[in-house]
Amino acid sequence: TDPLFRHFVITRALLMSTALAMPFYVILAQQQTGGSLGSLGLMIIATGLAGGLSAPVWGRLSDRSSRLVLVASGVVAGLLGLLTFGLSGVESAWAKSEFLFAALFLVIGIAHSGVRLGRKTYLVDMATQDNRAAYVAVSNTLVGALLLVGGLFGVVADLAGVAATLALLGLMSLVGAASAWRLEEVQRGGFCWRECCWRSCASSRLLRPRAWKACSSRPIPSTGNSPMAAPPRPSWSWTTGGKSASPMNG
């Protein structure tokens, strides 16, 4: 019944395309390189590097805005899928190189790590202590069921080819990134954290009016003299389209 949670589940379902795409990169590499063991070894190394190199970066960014981590990861995965589809039609030695596919696998691994970390952080920050366990259970159950349906992409690969399947999954990732962009910010330090940091909201009012409207309708919490207390609403105003606007008048 929570619109924000429903939107999050839809976004997560779209971005599971990053996980579904990884086996197809392995299959395509096997087809293009002749199935050598060297390419398999390089991909195993790329998997380890993807997690080790990206985790500190994604973690730091997630502390500021897990929503933007989901957006960035989805865009990277989507563009990579389309790029791989284009490269599959190139008849050149470098386009069939083991190192090229290892690099592609490294990038999709980085994107997938970003999606995993971003959606975990977003869910934890979005939920309250009372509904967090229920949200996690429902989200994991729904996405788990959708992963079973994701096996249909194997049928698509058999009919249209592995490269075309990667392109389809890439488009799915881009749609997921667009959906993540429209998610509400739930972290302090982002564009508009959940307890309504009015000063941060001012800069995003024109870019994300729905998030501004949702944020402006919430009361500012009272936390006394705590260092995490919400800042007071500013009295300044700015000009938009020749008219004066203020966070106090919505």
Side-chain angles (χ1 to χ4, degrees):
T1 58
D2 185 353
L4 178 59
F5 177 66
R6 183 168 60 249
H7 189 177
F8 167 77
V9 172
I10 293 173
T11 302
R12 181 181 173 184
L14 290 169
L15 290 177
M16 75 179 185
S17 55
T18 59
L20 294 174
M22 297 186 75
F24 292 105
Y25 280 96
V26 177
I27 296 173
L28 185 62
Q30 183 183 28
Q31 292 176 350
Q32 298 286 49
T33 62
S36 65
L37 293 178
S39 62
L40 179 60
L42 287 173
M43 287 192 168
I44 294 175
I45 295 174
T47 302
L49 288 176
L53 295 177
S54 64
V57 178
W58 288 135
R60 192 176 186 86
L61 293 176
S62 290
D63 289 338
R64 295 190 57 114
S65 175
S66 55
R67 178 183 68 88
L68 292 184
V69 169
L70 292 173
V71 173
S73 302
V75 169
V76 170
L79 294 180
L80 185 70
L82 297 178
L83 174 64
T84 304
F85 175 72
L87 290 176
S88 65
V90 176
E91 295 296 334
S92 177
W94 65 267
K96 301 180 183 299
S97 170
E98 300 171 351
F99 295 98
L100 173 63
F101 284 97
L104 294 176
F105 201 71
L106 172 66
V107 176
I108 190 62
I110 291 174
H112 180 54
S113 297
V115 169
R116 290 182 58 193
L117 185 58
R119 54 98 172 166
K120 290 177 182 178
T121 306
Y122 192 93
L123 181 58
V124 169
D125 291 335
M126 173 186 66
T128 64
Q129 186 176 359
D130 296 331
N131 60 20
R132 183 171 292 122
Y135 277 10
V136 171
V138 172
S139 176
N140 289 343
T141 301
L142 292 175
V143 173
L146 290 174
L147 281 173
L148 295 177
V149 180
L152 295 175
F153 282 100
V155 179
V156 176
D158 188 49
L159 296 176
V162 177
T165 305
L166 287 174
L168 179 61
L169 290 170
L171 292 174
M172 186 174 169
S173 295
L174 291 176
V175 174
S179 179
W181 174 256
R182 296 183 63 82
L183 280 170
E184 180 184 333
E185 196 69 68
V186 295
Q187 282 148 310
R188 303 180 183 187
F191 287 122
C192 177
W193 44 277
R194 194 170 179 82
E195 287 80 7
C196 299
C197 178
W198 291 90
R199 190 176 297 276
S200 298
C201 281
S203 62
S204 65
R205 183 184 186 191
L206 297 179
L207 293 177
R208 306 182 68 238
R210 290 179 59 189
W212 166 270
K213 183 178 180 181
C215 179
S216 61
S217 64
R218 293 194 182 95
I220 293 181
S222 176
T223 53
N225 295 324
S226 168
M228 296 303 293
R233 300 184 184 182
S235 59
W236 39 261
S237 61
W238 63 93
T239 302
T240 56
K243 297 182 179 180
S244 178
S246 170
M248 295 300 294
N249 57 29

